[in-house]
Amino acid sequence: MRTYLIAGVVLLGTLPLSAEAQQEPDTVKLRELVVTATRFETPIANAPGSITVLDGNAMRRNGQRFLIDALRTVPGVTLAQSAGPGALTSLFIRGGESNYVQVLVDGIQINDPGGSFDWAHLRTEDIERVEIVRGPASVLYGSDAVSGVVQIFTRDGGAPRLEAGINSSRGDRHGESGSAFDTHACDASVTGRATLP
């Protein structure tokens, strides 16, 4: 009797506790990669310096039609606009001059060497993500990147798609009664990849 009982306990100890313990997850969650900080795809946790990544889908979900609306939320980044919407807008990183920031779109510098850039008209419809490196990145990008680098990655064309948006706001001027104003903005775009004959 004792021999059978010990054999039964040993046999039970070798069996798996449950079917769930044997199942492997069927998906793998990849870490977010950045390229602006090192010029190579690097997990954001291993990248040197202060980096912020803005996701294009999140910007559009939040109703941020222009990139400057999203950039205002980044720590260490200040925007100065000379007047209302559409006026000359400059970006300053960590207190440096606006011409100390290098601006790249898909790896190509778009601001003049040693020159500033007007941020007023960049829209979020075609942006996949934006990587902002705060601090001196001049080792990798040259003397134009004294206070930082902003790199914009555009969306892949993919299948043709139509997007439309309406934005409306209401307010009053200087708190005076009867001087209300309405602001309406409508936009539409068609994007996608096409093969020419």
Side-chain angles (χ1 to χ4, degrees):
M1 182 75 160
R2 187 180 305 161
T3 306
Y4 294 118
L5 183 60
I6 292 172
V9 170
V10 170
L11 181 61
L12 283 175
T14 60
L15 293 175
L17 296 176
S18 67
E20 293 178 22
Q22 289 184 340
Q23 289 181 346
E24 295 285 328
D26 61 347
T27 58
V28 176
K29 182 167 173 61
L30 297 176
R31 294 176 290 179
E32 186 173 20
L33 298 176
V34 295
V35 297
T36 308
T38 60
R39 287 194 181 237
F40 299 102
E41 288 190 353
T42 305
I44 195 166
N46 298 341
S50 299
I51 303 162
T52 300
V53 178
L54 300 174
D55 180 58
N57 291 327
M59 288 187 279
R60 290 183 287 278
R61 269 194 315 271
N62 294 335
Q64 296 166 328
R65 294 174 50 233
F66 292 93
L67 181 56
I68 58 174
D69 298 328
L71 290 172
R72 290 183 203 282
T73 66
V74 178
V77 172
T78 305
L79 288 147
Q81 203 162 16
S82 61
L88 177 67
T89 305
S90 300
L91 180 136
F92 306 88
I93 294 181
R94 290 189 171 176
E97 296 293 328
S98 61
N99 59 351
Y100 290 175
V101 178
Q102 190 169 87
V103 184
L104 305 169
V105 174
D106 294 328
I108 299 170
Q109 183 175 351
I110 59 171
N111 59 334
D112 295 329
S116 57
F117 179 75
D118 184 10
W119 293 86
H121 303 288
L122 284 179
R123 300 172 59 88
T124 59
E125 284 92 353
D126 295 323
I127 294 178
E128 178 70 31
R129 74 182 189 280
V130 179
E131 295 179 4
I132 300 112
V133 178
R134 298 180 301 277
S138 55
V139 172
L140 295 174
Y141 291 95
S143 60
D144 297 330
V146 176
S147 63
V149 177
V150 178
Q151 180 154 203
I152 301 162
F153 293 90
T154 56
R155 292 166 79 179
D156 182 26
R161 62 184 176 270
L162 171 67
E163 294 181 359
I166 299 173
N167 189 1
S168 180
S169 62
R170 183 172 182 83
D172 62 277
R173 292 188 179 94
H174 309 296
E176 300 172 8
S177 60
S179 67
F181 66 92
D182 294 327
T183 303
H184 306 285
C186 303
D187 54 66
S189 64
V190 177
T191 57
R193 183 184 299 139
T195 305
L196 300 175

